[in-house]
């Protein structure tokens, strides 16, 4: 366990806070007494959540930020000011077979799910370390523990996120910075991002509820827990790797992991022109 960061009186910055899990994290953090800063590529999404928080009596601000844009991140961080809890939550999914995915989809997955972790964390970590407190949260995925069919880009990006967190944890521990980390590895959540996915054994591997996941993430931030894997069965994946590859694959196929994406549709945001979608000139739709 790390030191944990109390949310009451803290500033919590949530990337991708304009919808899904990020929205739930923003609402719940505000309820726990945090000042919330919402970053989202969708200006509307961010404003809506900010207004929801304010009308419930909470304190919130929003900035339209594409976290994959390094310069935009630096400029927005200067405006945001000191942050105690950084939740790297923004993410995208393609949901296609390797040969069906467009080159730009693959680039976007790594831009948003991986490289943005560097730009955003590097913007806020110096301030946290100087104050000797805070938590950096990396929202990875169960797909960061096991590769899944139709997720060659997504799953690889989440393995990268998992590794990013583990290396950062080692650096912060060695540097005695007082800054903690938390990595979050959930199975599918009912946010809409993975609409159409199916789970074969819902008792063992249920589709998670976004509100419940958000509450557990914030509990972990406050208690100093460093890894949150949901549901608990997913914790067995690293142990299952002791099996020979063929047996490991058979186990995953028995659990139908590689069929979960067969009917994936995702949310409309995954169509060209929707929020977060990269244009040919390298810019992203702001929604
Ligand atoms: N939904 C799931 O089943 C599931 C499972 C495991 C992990 N996750 C992870 O949880 C996180 C949140 O996912 P969600 O289900 O809430 O998705 P979501 O699509 O509901 O929300 C993602 C948010 O990120 C924003 N965003 C996208 N690209 C951005 C960019 N370039 N800059 C800033 N904001 C950007 C979107 O506008 C959106 O508001 C993601 O990292 C996702 O990979 C989701």
């Amino acid at each position: 366990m790390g030191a944990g960061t109390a949310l009451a009186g803290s500033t919590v910055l949530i990337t991708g806070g304009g919808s899904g899990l990020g929205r739930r994290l923003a609402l719940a953090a505000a309820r726990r007494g945090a000042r919330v800063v919402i970053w989202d590529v969708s200006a509307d999404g961010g404003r809506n959540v900010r207004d929801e928080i304010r009308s419930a009596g909470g304190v919130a601000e929003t900035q339209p930020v594409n976290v994959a844009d390094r310069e935009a991140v630096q400029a927005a961080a200067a405006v945001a000011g000191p942050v105690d809890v950084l939740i790297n939550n923004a993410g995208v999914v393609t949901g296609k077979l390797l040969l069906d995915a467009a080159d730009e989809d693959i680039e976007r997955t790594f831009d948003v799910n991986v490289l943005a972790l560097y730009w955003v964390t590097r913007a806020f970590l110096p301030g946290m370390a100087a104050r000797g407190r805070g938590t950096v949260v990396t929202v990875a995925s169960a797909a960061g523990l096991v590769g899944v069919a139709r997720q060659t880009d997504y799953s690889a990006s989440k393995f990268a996120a998992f590794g990013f967190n583990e290396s950062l944890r080692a650096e912060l521990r060695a540097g005695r910075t007082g800054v903690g980390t938390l990595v979050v590895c959930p199975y599918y959540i009912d946010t809409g991002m993975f609409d159409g996915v199916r789970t074969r054994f819902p008792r063992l591997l249920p589709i998670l509820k976004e509100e419940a996941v958000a509450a557990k993430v914030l509990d972990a931030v406050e208690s100093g827990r460093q890894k949150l894997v949901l549901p608990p069965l997913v914790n067995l994946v690293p142990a299952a790797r002791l099996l020979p590859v063929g047996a490991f694959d058979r186990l995953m196929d028995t659990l139908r992991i590689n069929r979960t994406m067969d009917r994936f549709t995702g949310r409309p945001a995954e169509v060209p022109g929707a929020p977060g979608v990269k244009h040919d000139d390298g810019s992203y739709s702001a929604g």
Side-chain angles (χ1 to χ4, degrees), residues 166-178:
E166 198 160 279
S167 298
L168 178 63
R169 189 171 76 228
E171 291 183 7
L172 295 177
R173 194 169 60 241
R176 300 180 193 281
T177 55

Side-chain angles (χ1 to χ4, degrees), residues 47-68:
R47 268 195 303 268
N48 290 342
V49 177
R50 176 200 65 189
D51 292 348
E52 251 185 291
I53 290 172
R54 287 184 179 172
S55 52
V59 182
E61 284 143 48
T62 188
Q63 295 171 268
V65 184
N66 170 12
V67 292

Side-chain angles (χ1 to χ4, degrees), residues 19 21 40-41 65-67 89 154 158 189 191 194 267:
S19 80
L21 179 61
D40 205 291
V41 73
V65 184
N66 170 12
V67 292
N89 164 79
Y154 183 80
K158 294 301 186 178
I189 316 169
T191 62
F194 278 91
R267 61 164 78 254

